[in-house]
Amino acid sequence: MALLYFFLLHEPPEATSLDELTSETTEQPPPPETDPAVPTSVMIDVKGAVQNEGLYELPAGSRINDAIEAAGGFLPEADSRSINLAVIVLDESAVYVPKQGEENVELTGAAPGGSAEPGLINLNTATEDELTDLPGIGPAKAAAIVAHRTENGPFKSTEQLMDVTGIGEKSFEQLKELVRVR
């Protein structure tokens, strides 16, 4: 009886018109929302042997070379070989261009390697030499940290240190109180 009802008395589904189908498919999806947490620009302080020292706003992902160009370029007496122009500048950092023969000047809270918190090493600005001061970090692991930072951009958290080849949870436990990300 159930089969008879299903096949003979059951009404077929209603047909959908072509107009109804096309009106449904032509609706535009909403535009993708941009993530407000991702900065679109950075502020960097350029000092030393450049044409125009000062504070510059640059697009996020800019390099030290871009910051120096924004400051009008090097002065003739600048020691341009002492600076890695390929480093990505970070918000609230500073670049100091020394004159030829001048010793390196450490700027508080500034790149490269400077830290406003004494004893903490900034993973995003530290040199390989500074990283080898950390327990369990030799030249090979320091080079791997710098290479990871160069290839993947700045670290967003100290936990990302475990993404570096050769650094696992045990190594991270030794380092987490000694490093920071800024």
Side-chain angles (χ1 to χ4, degrees):
M1 290 281 249
L3 288 174
L4 183 63
Y5 170 77
F6 184 73
F7 286 113
L8 297 177
L9 300 175
H10 182 68
E11 293 181 25
E14 289 185 30
T16 305
S17 73
L18 183 59
D19 290 337
E20 290 175 8
L21 287 176
T22 57
S23 67
E24 289 177 12
T25 59
T26 58
E27 291 180 24
Q28 296 293 327
E33 294 181 23
T34 57
D35 187 359
V38 177
T40 57
S41 65
V42 294
M43 294 297 289
I44 180 141
D45 189 8
V46 183
K47 302 174 184 283
V50 292
Q51 297 291 332
N52 302 301
E53 292 182 319
L55 187 62
Y56 293 92
E57 184 173 2
L58 300 172
S62 295
R63 310 231 176 230
I64 287 180
N65 185 61
D66 301 322
I68 291 172
E69 284 181 13
F74 293 112
L75 290 175
E77 63 269 17
D79 184 6
S80 61
R81 294 181 299 164
S82 67
I83 297 176
N84 182 352
L85 299 173
V87 173
I88 295 173
V89 295
L90 302 173
D91 194 31
E92 301 177 6
S93 63
V95 172
Y96 181 79
V97 179
K99 294 180 181 176
Q100 293 176 4
E102 183 177 7
E103 292 185 27
N104 280 346
V105 174
E106 282 295 322
L107 298 173
T108 304
S115 172
E117 299 174 49
L120 294 184
I121 292 181
N122 185 344
L123 294 174
N124 289 326
T125 59
T127 64
E128 287 184 31
D129 287 338
E130 291 170 327
L131 290 168
T132 57
D133 291 340
L134 293 168
I137 302 295
K141 284 187 183 176
I145 292 169
V146 171
H148 183 276
R149 179 176 73 202
T150 303
E151 293 168 10
N152 300 297
F155 290 93
K156 293 183 180 20
S157 70
T158 56
E159 289 78 16
Q160 283 184 311
L161 193 56
M162 290 186 285
D163 294 342
V164 176
T165 303
I167 299 178
E169 287 185 38
K170 288 183 181 180
S171 296
F172 178 70
E173 286 299 317
Q174 290 180 321
L175 299 171
K176 70 180 181 182
E177 301 298 323
L178 304 172
V179 296
R180 71 181 185 103
V181 171
R182 177 129 193 196

